[in-house]
Every structure is written in C-alpha cells, then in structure tokens.
Amino acid sequence: MTDRLDFFSRRCAWVNGPIIVGAGPSGLAVAACLKEHGVPSVILERADCIASLWQKRTYDRLKLHLPKQFCQLPKFPFPEHYPEYPTKKQFVDYLESYAKHFEISPRFNQSVQSARYDETCGLWRVRTVGAGAEAGRWLVVATGENAEKVVPELEGLGGFGGDVIHACDYKSGEAYRGKRVLVIGCGNSGMELCLDLCDHDAFPAMVVRDSVHVLPREVLGKSTFELAVLLMKWLPLWLVDKILLWLAWLLLGNVEKHGLRRPSTGPLELKNTQGRTPVLDLGALAKIRSGDIKVVPGIKRFSSGSVELVDGQALDIDSVILATGYRSNVPQWLQVPTKILHCFSLTVESEDNMGD
C-alpha cells in the first residue's frame, strides 16, 4: 500500500508518455519516432551527455565497423560527405545533430535506481538516484548491452604491480610506446587495440582463451555484413554461414595455424544463439602473421611484472588491458522484466559487444 501511495507523493512526477531509460542511439531513435507520431516522452540518462558509451568509453581510432547505411537512425540519414565507415567523432556529431533536429532534450545525470510496475495502478514507477521518481504508463529500456564493463577475477593480478585498465578506459597506444602489453580478449576491441598498440610501437600479446570467428570486413569491395544480409534474403542461415566461412578462408587463409580456432557453429548462427559477434578484420591478422601481435593461450596466474600461461610459458609484461567485454545492467534495477520493451543498441560494438 505504501508503494502505491508513493506514486502520488510530491517527489513522484507524472510523465504523459513513455519513460525512456538511456540516451544512446536506441533511446534517441525511440524518442524521435514517438515525437513524429505526436507522442511525448522523457529520456533519463545517467551520464551528462548523449551516447556516453561512444563519447567517454571508446578508443580514439574507433570507427563504425559496418557501412553507415546500416547504422543510421530513423528519418535522418548520415551526411552524404561522411565516409562509408564514419569515425567516432563523426558518429557522435551525427547523434548530436539527430537530437537537435528532433528537439530531444534528455534529463542528464539521472541514474535509475529501480523501475517497478504496479499492476493495480497500471503504472511504472522509476526511481532515480537523488532525484525522486517518475511515474507513467510505459517504460522503454534503451540502455544497450554494454552498460557495465566485465572485469574477470584473475589470480595474482593484484600483485602484478604494473598498469591494469579495462578497454573502456583505453584511448590511444601512445601511452604504451615501447612497452610489453598483455591484451586479454580477442573480440573486435581486443583485436583493434592490439593493432593500435602496434601502430604506436608497443609490443602486444593477445590472450585467446576461446574459439573466435574472424571475417574480412569487405569482400571484393562490398561489406561482408551487407553481403550476408543480401544472401539471407534468398538462402537459409546455415548456407550463408558456409559461404561466409569459405570466403573468409579464401581471403584470410587458415587462421587456426595462428592460434585462432574457429567455433564449430557458424558466425551468424553463433550471433543469433549466443550473442557472440564475429571479428571483422581491420588489419590485425596481418600483424599476427608477421609476429607483431603475439597470440597466447589462457592465463594461469600473474606475478610481479609477469604472467604465467596455461601452457607453462611465462611472459614479462609492463601493462595489462582487459578487453573482456560488457554486460547489461538492467537486471540490477528492473523489477518486472516481463512488462517491458527492451531496445538494444543500434550500433555495432565488440564482442565485447561494444561496437565497435
């Protein structure tokens, strides 16, 4: 009863339309489409800007991994002068322009603490940290799959003594020039960070614990993703997977001899069933072949200035970068998951699933 009465307390503001949590690409797109149909909405964003993942937790060299036509938001195409694969800055500028065009004004610094649906009242109550609550009939979760970084427990890491960061805090390889860097994770982020480290004269070693699909970003000048979408219109998924793997073998060769084992499940099926995104090669594979990027197996334990691997070899290292991915934070605050429309990110990220 207390909870129901609280709906009408002074600190509970009524929202005449959907409450949207998250001001990333999905949240902006939902708000714009609702506005086009005359439906008002409120966006609650925990950061102080739109698309905070892109603005604050991505590396400098990041570009969209898919052609721009597959990443643009509804009713507002990318500028014609943008390249096929826009840069991080261009994508952020595009999102800022999108919000301005549709006159979308999120409420910033509004971190959602809980969202509860009261079936008796037929209303959602969304509490934010230190800012009271909102009440309304509809809730849209647009926080994406990459809200929180994943930091695994690794034996001895506390006594390593060197620099340890997550990929979300990595900006450029300039700070690692001349250093031996262990990158844990072989998704799109891990691969591209290793490539960036090479470009800045660092010496990366990449931990590959699991199997991974590596595909060329383009096939004969056409995006591999675009080709897959085209083939899926006419062919079953399993056959498209076989075609993609044949093309990957033709263009990239046998990657398994370089320590990159392919999963038994095809890349599209794996994405559909387990959410694991294939790696689109941007040049890291050539660095692996040349030995500039060293591929190593799983980690056994860390010690001061070094790491012992599961195959018994030991590496002296200066720094560690955790390209270990992200997870949704929705289970932490959403209390009635069956009553919700969940919008996932419209951009691509790494296996880590961020988009990269």
Side-chain angles (χ1 to χ4, degrees):
M1 178 64 70
T2 301
D3 282 344
R4 290 171 191 157
L5 291 175
D6 208 24
F7 268 109
F8 306 102
S9 69
R10 291 183 179 180
R11 301 191 67 209
C12 190
W14 171 254
V15 175
N16 185 27
I19 301 169
I20 302 170
V21 182
S26 293
L28 296 177
V30 171
C33 291
L34 288 171
K35 196 163 193 174
E36 286 285 287
H37 288 83
V39 180
S41 64
V42 168
I43 300 181
L44 304 178
E45 167 57 47
R46 66 176 179 175
D48 60 359
C49 61
I50 67 169
S52 61
L53 177 67
W54 279 84
Q55 297 209 51
K56 298 188 174 185
R57 294 189 288 156
T58 52
Y59 40 95
D60 293 343
R61 69 174 291 145
L62 179 64
K63 295 182 179 181
L64 291 180
H65 282 191
L66 302 186
K68 61 184 180 181
Q69 66 265 30
F70 294 104
C71 303
Q72 63 190 20
L73 302 190
K75 306 178 185 298
F76 195 79
F78 279 102
E80 291 185 5
H81 68 273
Y82 270 31
E84 186 171 16
Y85 300 96
T87 65
K88 165 185 171 179
K89 183 181 184 307
Q90 288 172 325
F91 188 58
V92 170
D93 288 345
Y94 165 74
L95 295 178
E96 295 278 8
S97 298
Y98 191 87
K100 183 178 180 180
H101 176 79
F102 289 101
E103 298 180 336
I104 300 170
S105 300
R107 295 182 185 175
F108 296 119
N109 300 307
Q110 301 285 302
S111 181
V112 173
Q113 186 177 46
S114 66
R116 177 182 300 173
Y117 185 74
D118 188 295
E119 294 187 11
T120 302
C121 299
L123 297 174
W124 283 96
R125 177 181 174 83
V126 181
R127 288 182 176 273
T128 54
V129 177
E134 313 284 340
R137 292 177 59 192
W138 304 281
L139 175 69
V140 178
V141 177
T143 52
E145 298 175 292
N146 306 313
E148 304 292 340
K149 62 185 178 183
V150 173
V151 178
E153 292 186 8
L154 298 167
E155 184 178 348
L157 185 59
F160 165 60
D163 181 49
V164 180
I165 67 168
H166 190 272
C168 67
D169 298 313
Y170 178 95
K171 297 302 179 185
S172 167
E174 181 62 37
Y176 298 90
R177 193 175 295 274
K179 293 184 178 181
R180 299 160 297 183
V181 185
L182 185 71
V183 177
I184 303 176
C186 61
N188 281 295
S189 292
M191 288 278 196
E192 195 161 357
L193 263 57
C194 284
L195 183 59
D196 191 57
L197 289 165
C198 287
D199 289 346
H200 288 88
D201 298 322
F203 304 99
M206 182 174 62
V207 176
V208 180
R209 295 167 297 173
D210 302 315
S211 56
V212 58
H213 278 301
V214 181
L215 303 176
R217 183 171 70 169
E218 294 184 340
V219 176
L220 300 176
K222 182 179 288 292
S223 161
T224 301
F225 179 79
E226 184 178 1
L227 177 63
V229 170
L230 179 63
L231 292 174
M232 286 287 290
K233 293 180 178 179
W234 309 102
L235 302 173
L237 184 143
W238 67 267
L239 183 54
V240 177
D241 267 342
K242 286 188 177 297
I243 293 172
L244 292 180
L245 291 176
W246 178 78
L247 290 171
W249 179 85
L250 188 67
L251 296 175
L252 303 179
N254 181 12
V255 299
E256 296 199 6
K257 66 181 181 181
H258 301 294
L260 302 172
R261 296 179 296 106
R262 289 196 181 277
S264 56
T265 305
L268 297 181
E269 183 180 352
L270 196 64
K271 175 63 176 175
N272 286 347
T273 58
Q274 299 182 30
R276 291 176 57 187
T277 304
V279 172
L280 298 178
D281 180 51
L282 305 180
L285 193 55
K287 295 292 186 181
I288 292 173
R289 290 195 190 99
S290 67
D292 293 322
I293 298 174
K294 183 176 182 180
V295 174
V296 300
I299 296 166
K300 187 174 183 181
R301 67 173 64 88
F302 284 91
S303 56
S304 179
S306 67
V307 61
E308 181 183 352
L309 305 174
V310 292
D311 63 356
Q313 65 175 311
L315 299 177
D316 292 328
I317 54 174
D318 301 304
S319 302
V320 176
I321 300 174
L322 303 171
T324 45
Y326 304 83
R327 65 165 65 94
S328 169
N329 65 3
V330 174
Q332 299 172 21
W333 53 266
L334 181 63
Q335 298 180 16
V336 190
T338 57
K339 295 283 187 178
I340 192 164
L341 167 65
H342 193 159
C343 296
F344 291 100
S345 173
L346 300 180
T347 60
V348 189
E349 201 340 305
S350 60
E351 114 230 329
D352 307 346
N353 289 322
M354 183 185 101
D356 285 56

